[in-house]
Amino acid sequence: MTLKFLKTFILIYVVVVLPFVYFTLMSSLVNTGDINPEKVALVLGAGIKCREEQNAQNCQPSNVLKKRLDKSLELFWAGKIDTILVSGNGNQLFYNETKVMVNYLKANKVDLATIKADYRGNSTYESCKNAYYEFGLQSVVLITQAFHMSRSVFLCQSVGLYVSIKIADQNNQATTNYGLL
């Protein structure tokens, strides 16, 4: 009896619940073309690589994070965004994603006045929440990878933040810029 119930539950979950969640989320995404009017990019932390001495001067962005930062630079130099908000784990003495991101952008000639730093973005949810409540943003261009898109959109939307997505590991602009209805 229990095995039959479990099989029925799994079947219903796979056939009904998963497709419902998927199509509900995907139906709220539309191609927005250009960047939203707020023109602020939110770059989520994704790890850093440090040499022996772990401080921000001896650390570099992970490969995933570097792609996100490079996408923000591409948008910034193209004039599609005016401000870059970097958000990551920045509250540890020897591990500071946010400082590494700021240093990377500065090394790429971005003026410090156009970089905003969220040192308390220890998760995607906290980064979205801080962008909305602490930085007072209503909308952002969220820069992340395709594997992270659905989760990021959901978490930002849950705090009331409107997002347009730019996928950091793809170049096809027509398929990588999304906004919520």
Side-chain angles (χ1 to χ4, degrees), residues 17-172:
V17 176
L18 286 179
F20 175 77
V21 170
Y22 174 80
F23 287 113
T24 301
L25 178 63
M26 295 315 282
S27 69
S28 69
L29 296 175
V30 294
N31 190 345
T32 61
D34 287 332
I35 299 297
N36 69 58
E38 190 114 21
K39 295 182 82 167
V40 177
L42 172 58
V43 180
L44 302 171
I48 57 177
K49 302 179 287 189
C50 300
R51 293 189 284 269
E52 334 51 74
E53 213 178 295
Q54 290 190 349
N55 64 48
Q57 283 12 39
N58 292 328
C59 298
Q60 297 296 320
S62 67
N63 293 336
V64 170
L65 182 54
K66 185 179 180 309
K67 288 180 182 180
R68 293 177 187 184
L69 291 165
D70 288 344
K71 179 59 81 172
S72 74
L73 289 168
E74 174 189 322
L75 296 172
F76 180 77
W77 294 120
K80 296 191 181 254
I81 58 172
D82 295 329
T83 304
I84 303 171
L85 171 59
V86 292
S87 183
N89 184 343
N91 58 9
Q92 295 180 20
L93 182 61
F94 297 113
Y95 188 89
N96 193 327
E97 280 181 319
T98 309
K99 186 66 175 167
V100 170
M101 289 189 276
V102 169
N103 289 345
Y104 185 84
L105 294 172
K106 284 181 3 187
N108 282 278
K109 310 297 187 233
V110 177
D111 183 17
L112 191 56
T114 62
I115 303 169
K116 304 297 179 212
D118 172 15
Y119 290 91
R120 297 182 306 127
N122 296 321
S123 67
T124 302
Y125 174 77
E126 287 176 345
S127 294
C128 294
K129 182 182 75 162
N130 294 344
Y132 187 78
Y133 290 107
E134 303 295 325
F135 290 88
L137 299 172
Q138 301 296 311
S139 64
V140 295
V141 177
L142 186 62
I143 300 176
T144 191
Q145 273 76 14
F147 71 85
H148 195 235
M149 181 187 73
S150 298
R151 181 174 169 273
S152 301
V153 168
F154 174 78
L155 292 171
C156 285
Q157 186 179 28
S158 75
V159 298
L161 191 62
Y162 176 91
V163 296
S164 294
I165 297 283
K166 281 296 187 183
I167 304 298
D169 51 4
Q170 294 179 354
N171 292 323
N172 184 349

